[in-house]
Amino acid sequence: MLFLKFLILAVLLLIFVQDIRNRSVYWVLFPVFAPLLILLHLLQHHLLADIWQSVSINIVFLLLQFLIISVYFSIKNRHWINITDGLLGWGDILLLLSISFYVSPLNFLLFYIVSLTISLLIWLFWQVISKEKNKQIPLAGFQALIFIVFLAGGWWFKYFDLTDDARLLHLIIK
């Protein structure tokens, strides 16, 4: 299982480096990344039925988010806007879809909010100190890096399990 974890981390690092350098990510990484996460999930003694329930909830959440963003920009511009035409890259979408195959729904929501917030703060800070100005945020790269931190917290520090909402539910109820 350790080798599988290192493969996952290697793919995430590759996504980060590619997105930072080129503002694009090779799409072939995602059909590799998602099955690695599913395999790890299964090896952690989770039932396939439980995995698909979480995946379904996560994907519906993402689809709603993408629909809301599309409707917002469509209303703002007074014609239908495809968010993949300059607003959100396919690498960003595919990374989130891949992560949805591993993370439980509440953990996915937490990751989504935290990663978007941190990505924006990093990007704003970078724009202030950098001479090179670029409007494109390497979102998939930043989120890949942040997901590495989330995974490390779950794997090595045993603080929380990204595949189970029990700890988050306990914190919310407290």
Side-chain angles (χ1 to χ4, degrees), residues 12-125:
L12 286 167
L13 282 173
L14 194 55
I15 290 169
F16 171 72
V17 169
Q18 284 182 351
D19 205 19
I20 294 296
R21 284 187 179 170
N22 307 322
R23 298 297 185 272
S24 65
V25 180
Y26 292 125
W27 69 269
V28 76
L29 291 174
F30 301 105
V32 171
F33 183 54
L36 289 174
L37 290 175
I38 292 169
L39 179 60
L40 181 62
H41 208 159
L42 290 171
L43 290 174
Q44 292 173 330
H45 309 291
H46 291 94
L47 300 174
L48 194 57
D50 294 337
I51 292 172
W52 288 113
Q53 182 181 12
S54 290
V55 170
S56 299
I57 292 169
N58 293 340
I59 290 175
V60 166
F61 169 74
L62 281 177
L63 290 175
L64 283 172
Q65 288 295 301
F66 299 149
L67 179 64
I68 290 168
I69 292 168
S70 292
V71 168
Y72 170 78
F73 281 104
S74 296
I75 291 171
K76 183 178 174 185
N77 293 306
R78 297 183 180 170
H79 63 88
W80 184 251
I81 298 293
N82 180 355
I83 59 171
T84 61
D85 289 339
L87 295 174
L88 194 61
W90 277 106
D92 307 328
I93 294 168
L94 293 174
L95 178 73
L96 289 169
L97 286 172
S98 296
I99 291 171
S100 73
F101 283 95
Y102 182 73
V103 180
S104 64
L106 280 180
N107 280 302
F108 186 75
L109 182 62
L110 176 67
F111 167 76
Y112 186 75
I113 292 168
V114 167
S115 68
L116 288 177
T117 304
I118 291 173
S119 296
L120 181 60
L121 291 174
I122 291 170
W123 187 245
L124 290 173
F125 178 73

Side-chain angles (χ1 to χ4, degrees), residues 8-9 39 113 121 128 153 174:
I8 290 168
L9 294 178
L39 179 60
I113 292 168
L121 291 174
V128 168
K174 249 184 159 181

